[in-house]
Amino acid sequence: MCGIAGIVYKDGKPHQAGRDMTKMLHALQHRGPDSAGFSIYGGLNLADDEYLLNIEIKEKKGLLKKVKETIETTTRIKSEEKIQSVENYIIYRCKISLDSFSQLKPLIIEIDKIEDVTVLNGSHSFEMIKDVGSVLEIANRYDTWSKKGTHAIGHTRFSTESIVDRYHAHPFQSYIIPDITVVHNGQITNYWKIRDPLERKGHIFETTNDTECIVHYIADKLSNDYTLEEALEQSVKDMDGPFSYIVGTPDGIGIAKDQLGLRPGVMAEDDEIFAIASEEMALGEVVDTRHIEQIAPGEVRVYEI
Amino acid sequence: MKEAKIDAEGKTPREVNSKLKKLAKEYDRIIIENPNAMHYLAAGLTGDVEVIIDGSAGYFAGTMIHGPRIEIKGNAGWFPADNMTRGKITIHGSAGDGVGQGIYGGTVIVKEDAGSRTGEIMKNGTIIIGGNSGFMTGLYMMGGQIIVLGSLGKDAGESIIRGKIYLRGEAESLGKNAKIKKITEKEKGELEKILEKSGFKLEKAEYDKFKKIVPRSRRPFYGKEVEEG
């Protein structure tokens, strides 16, 4: 199944995005017990050249030191934080500066070469939080309740296509252009047909997860001057299978649904909030649901601030 | 009239439905408070009882009921009234996909819009949609009637075998084996009766706008094609 959700505060100012997304995802917990994740945009307030890395590190002597040394071959660590996760892993978060965005992916590749270390993501304008366990466990582990943001997307995962671990939890991120993330419910059945041309262009796939395929596809389209709406519309034509997915960008969110409408998606809005989710019970946590709209088969909706 | 209340807050669908089935034996009307779009409400409920869901319901509201009259004060998710055999479900807001999927009898009323595949594989009974109904309304319909006061999405009446879809607005496109016909004066009268009874008040002239979608052939997939009469 999987549960997906997205929220935008129409005034473009930071609000309690972490709290609201936590409540939305908790309402969708029954749709996916394996893992959960958040992309909370607009609350990091980093300088133009700053990035936040989220790195999963096994609790082994000397491993964190090795990670830090690898980072410091490229740049100085400006601030850091350690969060205790489960299964003898810590999440190491650090703020770094880079001369350009193009340095980010090569640095991540270098860090990923260290055994028992995986970079979950690297971002500039959003904070990614994803882990195994229930929504509330993750919310308390990472204190999502206090995270502020202008918009957010989130996911509860019922694993069907790949293993259950932190990296395969959604959202997935692309590094083709900065800060594009995707959460997804369903399957892309022509996965290789979508992946092949992207790889030929030089885009790097880390997994065989179809959600990663979507995020690279959308980022590739956006890097070729498609608007988010145009990218989503084209994806509905190009992708087969049952799906509904939500994209997060620094400017807003968008949803796309397959042409047969085989996965759910509903939307509600008021003067302050635009919200989309798999089910009404998630919308009811953040917005008046007296009037909700079904996302129709093949339809896309976008809200940008 | 004996009335009881169930507060659904913090309860599982199983707990709510168990309580509902017990109370339905003793009470005439049961109000479910704080439903919070919970799934499977009133699933499999039988008997002559009125159930008021004071808010929105989730998926499969009133699935497989036989007899109850259910009123949903908010919206409903996917498949409300799925496989109902007898009874009535009124949804005051909008509904998701598969309204009245597979029903054998009874009446389903949605006051606002419905999602896709309304009345899919329905065998009998009546579905009334006050607003628009989406993609593939009446998919594999085998009997009964769907009445839509608004418009229909693409592929209306896809692979329809029996039954009728009455439509006041327009269909974006017709599905395989579907054709549009004019309705008779007798049918107009019947529509007026059923819509009035269901709380829809239309001007007389509005009934002239209705048309019906019916099967083009009785045997569209195999054997000799036979035109519907």
Side-chain angles (χ1 to χ4, degrees):
Chain A
M1 286 210 296
C2 296
I4 58 174
I7 187 167
V8 182
Y9 303 92
K10 292 181 175 181
D11 64 4
K13 293 175 182 159
H15 290 262
Q16 299 284 356
R19 182 200 64 192
D20 287 348
M21 185 51 64
T22 302
K23 290 196 303 187
M24 289 176 89
L25 293 181
H26 179 56
L28 296 174
Q29 183 69 79
H30 61 279
R31 294 189 65 90
D34 300 329
S35 58
F38 304 69
S39 292
I40 301 167
Y41 285 85
L44 277 184
N45 301 316
L46 298 179
D48 287 350
D49 64 344
E50 288 179 337
Y51 296 88
L52 183 71
L53 292 177
N54 264 312
I55 308 167
E56 173 194 84
I57 304 172
K58 197 161 192 172
E59 289 194 273
K60 245 165 57 177
K61 201 167 180 241
L63 204 51
L64 178 57
K65 186 168 175 272
K66 201 172 178 183
V67 168
K68 288 184 186 182
E69 284 167 358
T70 304
I71 294 168
E72 280 164 343
T73 57
T74 302
T75 183
R76 185 173 62 84
I77 294 166
K78 297 172 93 170
S79 66
E80 60 184 5
E81 181 189 4
K82 278 198 298 183
I83 300 160
Q84 191 63 47
S85 184
V86 291
E87 299 157 352
N88 297 319
Y89 275 90
I90 60 155
I91 305 301
Y92 176 66
R93 303 180 118 199
C94 62
K95 191 161 75 173
I96 57 168
S97 287
L98 295 172
D99 292 338
S100 82
F101 170 71
S102 63
Q103 292 177 292
L104 181 61
K105 184 63 182 175
L107 174 61
I108 288 170
I109 290 168
E110 281 309 306
I111 301 165
D112 275 338
K113 285 177 184 172
I114 306 166
E115 201 179 335
D116 293 325
V117 173
T118 305
V119 178
L120 297 175
N121 91 301
S123 57
H124 171 72
S125 66
F126 78 96
E127 183 169 0
M128 185 184 281
I129 293 161
K130 60 179 186 175
D131 207 338
V132 292
S134 74
V135 172
L136 291 184
E137 283 167 357
I138 294 162
N140 294 333
R141 198 177 298 153
Y142 295 87
D143 187 26
T144 59
W145 304 101
S146 67
K147 308 288 181 189
K148 291 240 168 84
T150 53
H151 55 293
I153 65 172
H155 188 265
T156 60
R157 183 164 186 234
F158 184 103
S159 167
T160 56
E161 300 300 304
S162 52
I163 56 171
V164 177
D165 63 13
R166 270 171 222 88
Y167 189 81
H168 288 85
H170 299 205
F172 270 76
Q173 183 182 355
S174 177
Y175 298 95
I176 294 168
I177 58 171
D179 295 349
I180 307 300
T181 62
V182 163
V183 292
H184 165 221
N185 168 208
Q187 291 80 31
I188 306 302
T189 52
N190 61 341
Y191 168 83
W192 289 104
K193 204 173 167 181
I194 303 294
R195 174 171 170 163
D196 215 37
L198 292 167
E199 280 194 305
R200 285 166 198 271
K201 283 182 172 186
H203 301 323
I204 298 161
F205 279 70
E206 304 285 355
T207 71
T208 52
N209 184 290
D210 51 2
T211 312
E212 188 192 6
C213 196
I214 298 171
V215 76
H216 292 325
Y217 174 96
I218 294 294
D220 178 73
K221 287 278 178 278
L222 295 175
S223 72
N224 283 290
D225 296 331
Y226 279 67
T227 64
L228 179 56
E229 192 165 2
E230 287 166 345
L232 292 172
E233 281 168 353
Q234 192 57 48
S235 79
V236 167
K237 291 174 191 153
D238 289 348
M239 289 179 190
D240 291 339
F243 60 82
S244 54
Y245 67 85
I246 302 173
V247 180
T249 78
D251 303 319
I253 65 173
I255 186 168
K257 199 169 175 178
D258 73 85
Q259 293 188 76
L260 291 174
L262 297 171
R263 290 291 178 271
V266 286
M267 168 256 157
E269 65 183 322
D270 59 19
D271 291 344
E272 285 89 38
I273 283 172
F274 170 90
I276 43 185
S278 299
E279 295 178 19
E280 182 182 338
M281 57 180 71
L283 299 179
E285 295 290 339
V286 295
V287 70
D288 183 343
T289 53
R290 269 174 300 185
H291 180 70
I292 65 164
E293 289 180 46
Q294 303 289 323
I295 309 295
E299 189 183 4
V300 309
R301 297 272 181 115
V302 168
Y303 198 97
E304 289 178 311
I305 41 181
Chain B
M1 176 175 279
K2 285 177 75 184
E3 190 179 277
K5 288 181 179 176
I6 300 170
D7 187 353
E9 190 71 57
K11 291 187 177 71
T12 65
R14 185 184 289 260
E15 287 166 339
V16 173
N17 283 336
S18 292
K19 196 160 186 186
L20 180 61
K21 280 175 188 173
K22 277 187 194 132
L23 292 173
K25 290 172 184 164
E26 290 176 59
Y27 293 87
D28 307 302
R29 177 191 284 164
I30 298 149
I31 299 163
I32 299 174
E33 295 173 327
N34 303 309
N36 300 327
M38 182 183 277
H39 298 320
Y40 323 123
L41 284 170
L45 191 66
T46 59
D48 183 24
V49 61
E50 188 182 358
V51 179
I52 310 291
I53 296 171
D54 195 16
S56 287
Y59 294 175
F60 290 100
T63 176
M64 295 183 283
I65 61 166
H66 185 80
R69 297 170 315 285
I70 300 174
E71 212 172 318
I72 299 169
K73 296 285 193 184
N75 309 303
W78 281 15
F79 313 119
D82 155 75
N83 276 285
M84 169 171 72
T85 46
R86 191 157 65 82
K88 184 178 177 184
I89 298 186
T90 305
I91 298 155
H92 286 272
S94 61
D97 292 5
V99 172
Q101 166 182 272
I103 62 171
Y104 292 83
T107 303
V108 194
I109 300 163
V110 180
K111 297 281 183 168
E112 293 176 13
D113 295 337
S116 301
R117 291 179 278 269
T118 301
E120 175 179 6
I121 61 165
M122 68 187 281
K123 288 85 176 172
N124 207 338
T126 297
I127 298 171
I128 302 169
I129 309 295
N132 302 320
S133 181
F135 176 69
M136 284 193 181
T137 294
L139 170 67
Y140 297 128
M141 190 176 173
M142 295 182 208
Q145 58 183 354
I146 301 173
I147 303 165
V148 179
L149 275 65
S151 294
L152 294 177
K154 285 180 184 164
D155 296 342
E158 172 63 38
S159 300
I160 182 171
I161 305 296
R162 295 275 184 283
K164 293 168 185 169
I165 303 169
Y166 292 102
L167 170 66
R168 184 169 62 156
E170 297 305 318
E172 206 172 326
S173 66
L174 289 179
K176 288 187 291 296
N177 204 44
K179 68 176 181 184
I180 290 191
K181 281 182 84 173
K182 285 181 177 170
I183 65 167
T184 63
E185 289 304 314
K186 186 175 172 230
E187 284 174 315
K188 281 183 200 175
E190 284 165 357
L191 280 177
E192 189 173 357
K193 232 184 280 177
I194 196 167
L195 288 174
E196 289 271 324
K197 194 179 158 194
S198 304
F200 295 98
K201 293 214 178 296
L202 302 183
E203 298 290 325
K204 275 274 184 213
E206 289 298 309
Y207 289 96
D208 295 333
K209 294 179 181 172
F210 276 94
K211 53 197 104 36
K212 65 182 173 187
I213 295 170
V214 292
R216 197 173 50 77
S217 164
R218 288 166 183 257
R219 297 174 66 83
F221 301 114
Y222 49 86
K224 192 172 172 227
E225 281 204 354
V226 181
E227 277 291 324
E228 193 76 4

